[in-house]
Amino acid sequence: MKTIQDILPLVEQPSRYLGSEINSIKKNHAEVRLRIALAFPDMYEIGTSHFGIQILYHILNSHKDIVAERVFAPGTDMEAYLRDAHLPMMSHESHTPVSQFDIIGFSLLYELNFTNVLTILDLAGIPFFASQRDSRFPLIIAGGPCTCNPEPVADFFDAIVVGEGETAAMQMARAWLSWKEDTNNDRESLLHLWAGIEGVYIPSFFKPDHNSRGLQTVSPKFPNYTKVNRAIVNDLDKSPFPDAPIIPYARPVHDRLRVEIARGCTRGCRFCQAGMIYRPVRERSPEALLSLSASALAATGYEDISLLSLSTGDYGSVALLMEQLMERCAPDHVAVSLPSLRAGTLTPELMSIIRQVRKTGFTIAPEAGSQRLRDVINKNINEKDIFDTVSDAFSLGWQVIKLYFMIGLPTETQGDVEAIADLVTRLGKIKGPKGRKGKINVSVGTFIPKSHTPFQWASQVSLAESKDKINWLRDQLRRPSIKFKWQKPEVSLLEGLWARGDRRLSRLLVTAYKKGCKFDGWSDKFQYSLWERAFSDEGTDIDFYTTRARDMAEPLPWDHIDIGVTKGFLKQEWENAVSGELTSDCRNGDCQTCGVCDFDQVKPIVFTGDSPKGSASCNGQLTTDNGQLTIFKKFRISYSKRGQAKYFGHLELANIFSRAIRRAGIPLKYSEGFHPMPKISFEDPLPIGLESLNESLYITVPDAVKPQIIIKDMNEQLPEGLVVTDCQLAPPRKKTEPSSYLVTIKEGVFDEKKSEQFMKSPEFILTKTNRKGKVKKTDLKKAVLKIEQSSPTKLEITLSSEPGKSVRPFEAVKEIFDLPDDTLRRADIVKLC
């Protein structure tokens, strides 16, 4: 029977399935009482960048009786191999079948991930619908921003967390532990316990009905459980924070330390769901942020830190916090970025602080081209703010500015669309230093009305209208200095369907999944034609959910979900939008009576004033003045790469070693110039799938650093499979020697006749064609210096390293012995010298 280890050599980026990352947590399942699988219904590279799953992983694993392990949607190649081998969906850390966990918790961040939920359940052998599952199966729960309208997927889950899950998740876990001790521990009794926890929605406790117009209402089955109030974390400083987050392998979309500095936004953009469902504004204190940043950077070795919030530039002490962070991080070459900024908040002073290490990119979101439409959506910025910010950025040396706009906003006219093109064109004329124009990347998406916003009653523009507007903008912005990107209108339409859908859509999701829909948020995987067939099969009227404007008196599918903002406030904001009236930010003015705050437990928390002083560097150690470090020496570090480490690509390996060196506190010399880089270099990198007894890398360090310390400290920081074996002063580079490899195949045998045929041939041409279509021919008789077969399944091959004569062992063995690709991929190939 095949195992996951048999499959790993065959899939793309196998390291995404290893589960041995630095700071991952592994517990003995026999020594815990509750096993929770934290499932993210997207690829590993996306899921490992999600901050919420890191928080839950940290909180749940801090309890001695609980183990939490991660699950990600497998790539389509891995899925196919799992099905072919009849292997189940497994957890990341222990490769335990997901069906053996007690609870599976899904993070629902994006509507177009819903089909991937079904992929995970299907591979685990778990029925989709909660009504079809009994005590033989895990409890299936969900959380995340999509749960503020849980109805389209409600039938799949036993429980859904609405709001911020830190407190609710642990309360649910403790309730499960207590319930398990009870002799009468039927599922219904547990669901009643969960229903008593703030923010927990039990879909089976509400019955959906649809009137003659097709409008859904839900009727509570129990008089003491008629609505669900959003869970809110009142004080972030008192909330657990992952100060040693997992460092992902592969290429995560956010490959940096991410620190949440605040939650919530009261700018009041009327289209923005996050700005409504995460109220009020709660900031972490500067003291806590500096402490958390130092400890997390020390535990990870990241060279970049990103300050997260819905609007980072609005943080009360942002300039002082940045100044303190840069004072501590700049000597260690750690860059600080602010990913979510508004025009007007990125001041020249703030930019000057950021560029002390290097200029990180940033995005400005005017959203609309005309001032009239910006007032409609309550953006609260004017054209001068936009121009001043872009001009300041270019003048300080930034070369690329990203701008984000939406088409299809309520009350939009063709003049508003034309204003986008006009604004971008004029911004493109701004010049930076030496009269050089900067580049502008423009991204355009179709407005999608979302629940719990003032625009939840609005119509979404049709597919045809969305395409027309985007095509018009694309034609207008064909300029050398402007790069134009857009989200597919079909994707936006489908997102709009799920954003305001009801329970009838659960059948549609299953039908679409069975037709092959998955990874719908990925442009290369999205197949709208399959969705159209699913609409037809289920009789789904997509216009009913998307282009149809709602009557303010009609019931909405999410009316029983109370996120704190009152419907009266949303209605008033809709009226203000129509009349073009602005609503001010309550952070800087009067309370707007949105309904969220009780001003006792739930209230805004904003920090202003001085940040704490300190001399600790970002790696938690005192930083030596670089001016005194004038003598450096170069070491050659020898290391072995065995076992699962063979699945690390070269770029991964470089990151792994670079961050291990940082965590170990080994100081490195950096290059000069605007973007200093550490003095680390590798010898000829091995391809994925090859092991090695002796590889080399070179580092340049201060004279005081001892080789024994490097070996000891680095080995304490490297993941499984990588071991530093030696560290010596680097000798002069010499001519590359031939390399020998031991090849052991697990299927079939090496045909001695083919080996003899190769040895007798005067030449043996290997022909390769690269991605650009260029053909390269290599004579293996010159490239292969020796073949020595020690058994029918094992041989040693020595290959030349001379330019023009070198080949990979995989290529040579395949060509000589005419072996299938999969046989060689599964083979053990070890570089001996």
Side-chain angles (χ1 to χ4, degrees):
M1 182 179 178
K2 291 181 180 178
T3 67
I4 190 70
Q5 299 306 322
D6 297 317
I7 294 175
L8 285 178
L10 308 179
V11 299
E12 181 185 359
Q13 292 190 358
S15 62
R16 60 165 65 126
Y17 304 107
L18 295 179
S20 61
E21 306 98 320
I22 296 296
N23 297 331
S24 60
I25 297 171
K26 294 188 178 182
K27 295 184 180 182
N28 186 337
H29 284 215
E31 297 176 357
V32 299
R33 295 169 56 203
L34 172 58
R35 295 167 298 175
I36 300 177
L38 297 175
F40 193 91
D42 208 332
M43 295 290 284
Y44 172 86
E45 290 84 354
I46 307 296
T48 51
S49 297
H50 172 45
F51 195 67
I53 204 167
Q54 291 266 23
I55 293 174
L56 294 176
Y57 187 84
H58 169 76
I59 291 172
L60 293 168
N61 277 311
S62 66
H63 195 292
K64 65 180 179 62
D65 291 327
I66 301 172
V67 60
E69 297 187 358
R70 297 161 297 150
V71 177
F72 304 98
T76 53
D77 59 341
M78 173 60 90
E79 179 188 348
Y81 283 118
L82 288 173
R83 293 188 187 278
D84 182 63
H86 303 288
L87 289 174
M89 190 73 206
M90 302 177 195
S91 67
H92 212 58
E93 281 76 1
S94 65
H95 292 162
T96 299
V98 172
S99 60
Q100 294 181 15
F101 284 76
D102 301 300
I103 299 172
I104 303 174
F106 284 90
S107 295
L108 303 181
L109 269 74
Y110 182 33
E111 292 86 351
L112 297 194
N113 284 342
F114 288 168
T115 49
N116 297 340
V117 172
L118 302 189
T119 300
I120 293 173
L121 293 177
D122 193 14
L123 286 170
I126 298 172
F128 295 152
F129 292 96
S131 60
Q132 298 171 344
R133 299 191 294 265
D134 55 26
S135 59
R136 294 173 298 167
F137 299 103
L139 289 147
I140 311 298
I141 66 175
C146 289
T147 65
C148 61
N149 175 24
E151 291 307 290
V153 292
D155 287 339
F156 302 120
F157 298 103
D158 298 292
I160 293 174
V161 176
V162 178
E164 299 162 2
E166 291 99 318
T167 302
M170 186 54 80
Q171 288 176 328
M172 292 176 75
R174 290 197 177 102
W176 187 96
L177 292 169
S178 299
W179 165 80
K180 198 66 176 176
E181 293 178 350
D182 195 335
T183 55
N184 183 30
N185 57 0
D186 63 291
R187 287 201 170 195
E188 186 82 2
S189 62
L190 175 63
L191 296 181
H192 277 284
L193 287 174
W194 280 355
I197 297 171
E198 187 92 320
V200 177
Y201 173 44
I202 309 297
S204 61
F205 288 4
F206 290 80
K207 181 180 181 297
D209 295 296
H210 298 89
N211 64 19
S212 58
R213 295 172 56 199
L215 304 176
Q216 176 180 298
T217 58
V218 293
S219 305
K221 296 181 179 180
F222 303 100
N224 62 341
Y225 185 59
T226 59
K227 69 174 183 176
V228 178
N229 295 317
R230 173 173 67 102
I232 301 176
V233 174
N234 296 327
D235 188 341
L236 295 184
D237 275 354
K238 297 177 181 177
S239 181
F241 182 87
D243 56 357
I246 294 170
I247 310 169
Y249 296 142
R251 295 191 294 269
V253 292
H254 297 298
D255 195 16
R256 62 184 70 92
L257 177 65
R258 307 174 81 207
V259 178
E260 184 189 35
I261 67 171
R263 194 174 297 178
C265 176
T266 47
R267 287 278 186 170
C269 298
R270 292 168 181 142
F271 60 85
C272 181
Q273 187 181 64
M276 298 295 164
I277 67 174
Y278 288 115
R279 293 183 175 211
V281 172
R282 289 144 293 156
E283 296 181 351
R284 277 194 169 87
S285 67
E287 293 87 353
L289 289 170
L290 290 169
S291 175
L292 288 170
S293 299
S295 59
L297 283 167
T300 60
Y302 278 122
E303 52 285 307
D304 294 274
I305 178 172
S306 181
L307 305 182
L308 293 182
S309 81
L310 290 174
S311 184
T312 306
D314 288 331
Y315 180 77
S317 298
V318 64
L320 290 169
L321 174 64
M322 286 293 298
E323 186 176 0
Q324 285 293 301
L325 275 175
M326 293 307 306
E327 182 179 316
R328 299 178 180 205
C329 293
D332 295 321
H333 301 278
V334 174
V336 183
S337 64
L338 306 176
S340 53
L341 294 159
R342 292 172 59 92
T345 60
L346 191 62
T347 63
E349 293 79 12
L350 200 52
M351 291 179 183
S352 296
I353 294 171
I354 299 171
R355 70 195 296 261
Q356 288 180 34
V357 172
R358 60 180 177 267
K359 293 188 284 291
T360 49
F362 60 88
T363 301
I364 302 171
E367 314 290 359
S370 69
Q371 191 60 48
R372 184 201 71 81
L373 197 52
R374 285 194 291 271
D375 290 346
V376 167
I377 64 178
N378 204 51
K379 189 63 183 177
N380 275 308
I381 59 171
N382 57 45
E383 193 170 280
K384 184 178 184 301
D385 295 328
I386 299 168
F387 269 82
D388 286 350
T389 301
V390 172
S391 180
D392 288 338
F394 284 152
S395 66
L396 284 169
W398 265 267
Q399 297 177 8
V400 180
I401 303 292
K402 298 178 184 178
L403 299 174
Y404 181 77
F405 296 92
M406 283 188 285
I407 54 100
L409 287 161
T411 79
E412 181 186 71
T413 66
Q414 179 59 27
D416 296 312
V417 178
E418 292 171 1
I420 295 175
D422 177 67
L423 178 62
V424 172
T425 300
R426 287 185 289 127
L427 288 171
K429 296 178 181 179
I430 297 175
K431 296 180 180 180
K434 300 179 181 179
R436 186 171 54 189
K437 290 183 181 179
K439 293 184 178 180
I440 294 181
N441 292 345
V442 178
S443 181
V444 173
T446 303
F447 162 67
I448 302 165
K450 295 287 182 102
S451 61
H452 303 290
T453 69
F455 290 166
Q456 66 181 356
W457 295 281
S459 170
Q460 183 171 342
V461 296
S462 69
L463 189 59
E465 188 177 354
S466 178
K467 288 181 177 180
D468 287 344
K469 292 179 178 182
I470 288 174
N471 288 336
W472 186 90
L473 283 170
R474 182 184 59 189
D475 292 340
Q476 295 299 309
L477 295 175
R478 293 184 189 274
R479 301 172 188 275
S481 61
I482 297 172
K483 183 178 180 180
F484 183 80
K485 298 198 306 182
W486 65 96
Q487 185 181 58
K488 287 183 178 179
E490 293 88 348
V491 170
S492 300
L493 191 69
L494 192 60
E495 185 178 340
L497 168 71
W498 293 103
R500 294 189 293 175
D502 56 32
R503 288 206 196 184
R504 289 171 294 188
L505 295 185
S506 61
R507 297 191 305 271
L508 171 67
L509 191 72
V510 174
T511 298
Y513 170 74
K514 290 180 177 179
K515 290 185 181 298
C517 294
K518 61 188 67 176
F519 292 109
D520 299 297
W522 293 68
S523 59
D524 60 334
K525 302 287 195 303
F526 180 64
Q527 300 182 71
Y528 189 64
S529 61
L530 297 182
W531 279 101
E532 289 180 308
R533 286 163 52 191
F535 298 153
S536 176
D537 288 359
E538 289 297 325
T540 302
D541 180 3
I542 192 169
D543 290 337
F544 176 83
Y545 296 101
T546 56
T547 60
R548 181 182 66 89
R550 274 60 168 172
D551 188 310
M552 284 199 174
E554 75 176 58
L556 299 172
W558 52 88
D559 277 343
H560 56 302
I561 305 297
D562 186 357
I563 56 104
V565 176
T566 66
K567 187 177 280 191
F569 174 78
L570 298 179
K571 287 180 176 178
Q572 181 59 54
E573 280 298 283
W574 169 258
E575 293 173 3
N576 289 346
V578 173
S579 61
E581 293 184 32
L582 296 175
T583 301
S584 63
D585 186 345
C586 64
R587 181 169 24 196
N588 305 315
D590 295 334
C591 172
Q592 300 297 335
T593 63
C594 72
V596 168
C597 296
D598 61 13
F599 298 102
D600 179 24
Q601 297 297 316
V602 183
K603 57 188 176 183
I605 298 177
V606 178
F607 291 91
T608 57
D610 292 339
S611 296
K613 301 294 181 182
S615 57
S617 69
C618 275
N619 62 11
Q621 304 173 9
L622 291 179
T623 300
T624 307
D625 181 2
N626 286 336
Q628 298 177 6
L629 301 179
T630 55
I631 302 175
F632 291 91
K633 58 189 176 184
K634 189 174 185 179
F635 281 125
R636 181 177 68 187
I637 296 175
S638 301
Y639 65 94
S640 61
K641 183 186 178 189
R642 302 300 306 274
Q644 68 167 28
K646 68 182 179 181
Y647 297 122
F648 297 142
H650 177 59
L651 292 179
E652 283 180 272
L653 202 64
N655 278 335
I656 287 169
F657 272 104
S658 175
R659 289 164 183 171
I661 289 168
R662 278 183 171 273
R663 291 193 302 276
I666 299 170
L668 294 177
K669 183 179 182 181
Y670 277 74
S671 63
E672 302 295 331
F674 171 68
H675 193 166
M677 298 297 292
K679 292 283 190 175
I680 305 177
S681 61
F682 290 78
E683 286 189 350
D684 186 31
L686 290 177
I688 291 176
L690 265 64
E691 300 178 70
S692 177
L693 300 182
N694 188 24
E695 293 297 292
S696 298
L697 66 91
Y698 298 85
I699 62 173
T700 303
V701 298
D703 186 61
V705 177
K706 305 299 181 185
Q708 316 86 278
I709 299 299
I710 291 177
I711 296 173
K712 173 181 175 294
D713 290 354
M714 283 188 66
N715 279 331
E716 290 176 355
Q717 300 298 333
L718 289 171
E720 179 184 340
L722 294 174
V723 178
V724 172
T725 56
D726 193 19
C727 179
Q728 297 185 13
L729 286 173
R733 291 287 183 104
K734 59 182 180 179
K735 185 179 178 181
T736 306
E737 298 292 331
S739 298
S740 295
Y741 301 85
L742 182 64
V743 183
T744 306
I745 56 174
K746 302 174 182 178
E747 302 169 353
V749 296
F750 291 115
D751 188 339
E752 288 188 20
K753 291 182 180 179
K754 291 187 179 295
S755 178
E756 292 172 1
Q757 181 182 353
F758 171 75
M759 298 303 293
K760 294 177 181 178
S761 299
E763 66 174 11
F764 206 99
I765 302 301
L766 169 66
T767 302
K768 295 190 295 183
T769 304
N770 64 19
R771 294 179 181 178
K772 297 181 178 180
K774 185 176 180 180
V775 176
K776 178 183 179 183
K777 293 184 177 182
T778 304
D779 186 357
L780 291 184
K781 291 291 291 183
K782 296 178 180 178
V784 178
L785 304 181
K786 184 182 75 170
I787 294 181
E788 187 174 299
Q789 192 169 333
S790 57
S791 78
T793 59
K794 186 178 294 186
L795 63 79
E796 182 177 330
I797 185 170
T798 301
L799 301 176
S800 171
S801 298
E802 290 184 39
K805 297 181 181 180
S806 63
V807 294
R808 296 297 188 186
F810 180 96
E811 298 168 335
V813 174
K814 172 182 167 56
E815 193 72 15
I816 293 169
F817 292 95
D818 193 24
L819 292 172
D821 281 354
D822 283 3
T823 296
L824 280 171
R825 286 181 182 175
R826 289 194 176 105
D828 291 329
I829 305 178
V830 182
K831 182 180 176 183
L832 303 176
C833 62

